[in-house]
Amino acid sequence: MFFTAAVLGLAGAAVAAPANIVPNYPPHQLSTGFRLVVNVTDKALDLKPSVQGLYVDSIHVGAGLNVAGVGPKDTSNIFYQNGTAAEYRYGRATTITDEATPLSPFGLSLSKNPGSETLSSAYINGGAGTPGVQISQFPEPYLFLTPETFVICNTPLEYYQGRKFLVVEQAATTVSSDGKIEKNIPAGCAPVRLLPECATLETLPAGSYASHEFALETGCYADVASINWSLYGP
Ligand SMILES: *[C@@H]1O[C@H](CO)[C@@H](O)[C@H](O)[C@H]1NC(C)=O
Ligand SMILES: *[C@@H]1O[C@H](CO)[C@@H](O)[C@H](O)[C@H]1NC(C)=O
Ligand SMILES: *[C@@H]1O[C@H](CO)[C@@H](O)[C@H](O)[C@H]1NC(C)=O
């Protein structure tokens, strides 16, 4: 009897511990697969209609070439972080989705826009992604894609004769000569975080070019839309 009670006591303590360590942040799970969900961090700069809650997807702009866009969940991509544990720790992992036939790795990459010192466009092209485009890690208590700051802009795409699409871009933070931190958010773009929402990474069919051998377990939120942010934070 005593023994049973002691074991139950220990089990209770183990369950209670995580809540004591991180009382102020939304709970998360672990998954290899995840979707990326838009969270507008400054509501005053949201686009009209709002981009809050949209999911990152691929906009086809040529063979093996996609611009990273945002749209509804049902046409969004399932991503995974690729790399060794050490690569993730040192900020050298990449974020990949599988596309094409046979399924091949398409990495999320950032490429500096011509004529801008701070703004990059985001692509989901066949091949490796940009190292460091990965989910934030301890001691950062929130889970989101780095490097900050991602923005959503309504941008004309040449491939579609200048038709506008909601695309993902990235604005590098700089420090001015007088020590002021500049976020460099372009006019007309919404500053966002891209949050990982757990999703099932499907087993690859035989003959795939992609491999999940280095797909890392990633912290992710079960359902981003259900998080009440006003309950969390320092
Ligand atoms: C999501 O955005 C809200 C403000 O709209 C903010 O309070 C919250 O901290 C954001 N979440 C993350 C993970 O940054
Ligand atoms: C995934 O990571 C492993 C380990 O670093 C690397 O060998 C492999 O080339 C990566 N795959 C892609 C598609 O980048
Ligand atoms: C979020 O939490 C705040 C603070 O407890 C509460 O006032 C608000 O009603 C909640 N919002 C929703 C949608 O549950």
Side-chain angles (χ1 to χ4, degrees):
M1 231 16 200
F2 172 76
F3 184 75
T4 306
V7 169
L8 284 175
L10 281 176
V15 169
N20 294 338
I21 296 164
V22 282
N24 281 326
Y25 298 97
H28 66 266
Q29 305 175 351
L30 289 176
S31 169
T32 44
F34 55 90
R35 298 176 200 275
L36 287 168
V37 185
V38 171
N39 188 48
V40 178
T41 48
D42 183 347
K43 300 276 187 237
L45 298 178
D46 197 354
L47 304 186
K48 286 191 176 59
S50 174
V51 296
Q52 178 71 16
L54 295 180
Y55 287 76
V56 175
D57 60 17
S58 306
I59 303 171
H60 176 87
V61 291
L65 303 175
N66 302 285
V67 166
V70 290
K73 180 178 181 179
D74 56 8
T75 49
S76 66
N77 291 96
I78 293 178
F79 296 94
Y80 54 97
Q81 294 195 99
N82 187 78
T84 62
E87 283 170 330
Y88 176 66
R89 185 78 198 89
Y90 293 107
R92 305 295 297 166
T94 59
T95 296
I96 289 182
T97 188
D98 299 330
E99 288 190 21
T101 315
L103 281 174
S104 308
F106 277 63
L108 199 43
S109 63
L110 296 176
S111 173
K112 206 48 79 56
N113 289 357
S116 176
E117 289 297 309
T118 52
L119 199 61
S120 296
S121 290
Y123 299 93
I124 304 177
N125 295 340
T130 301
V133 176
Q134 64 174 50
I135 302 300
S136 55
Q137 56 185 320
F138 183 85
E140 169 56 55
Y142 288 118
L143 298 166
F144 53 86
L145 194 69
T146 62
E148 299 224 79
T149 307
F150 284 96
V151 295
I152 306 296
C153 311
N154 201 8
T155 301
L157 295 182
E158 236 175 81
Y159 187 83
Y160 295 97
Q161 292 80 43
R163 203 182 121 200
K164 285 183 164 182
F165 288 80
L166 293 173
V167 303
V168 178
E169 301 198 29
Q170 193 267 351
T173 300
T174 53
V175 182
S176 68
S177 50
D178 58 348
K180 202 165 161 279
I181 290 169
E182 306 281 0
K183 294 262 186 196
N184 301 309
I185 307 299
C189 299
V192 304
R193 277 180 169 169
L194 301 173
L195 312 187
E197 182 171 278
C198 311
T200 303
L201 186 64
E202 298 293 348
T203 305
L204 290 164
S208 297
Y209 295 153
S211 159
H212 293 166
E213 187 186 345
F214 291 98
L216 291 160
E217 287 246 282
T218 296
C220 51
Y221 301 116
D223 177 18
V224 169
S226 71
I227 300 173
N228 182 349
W229 295 107
S230 64
L231 300 176
Y232 303 107

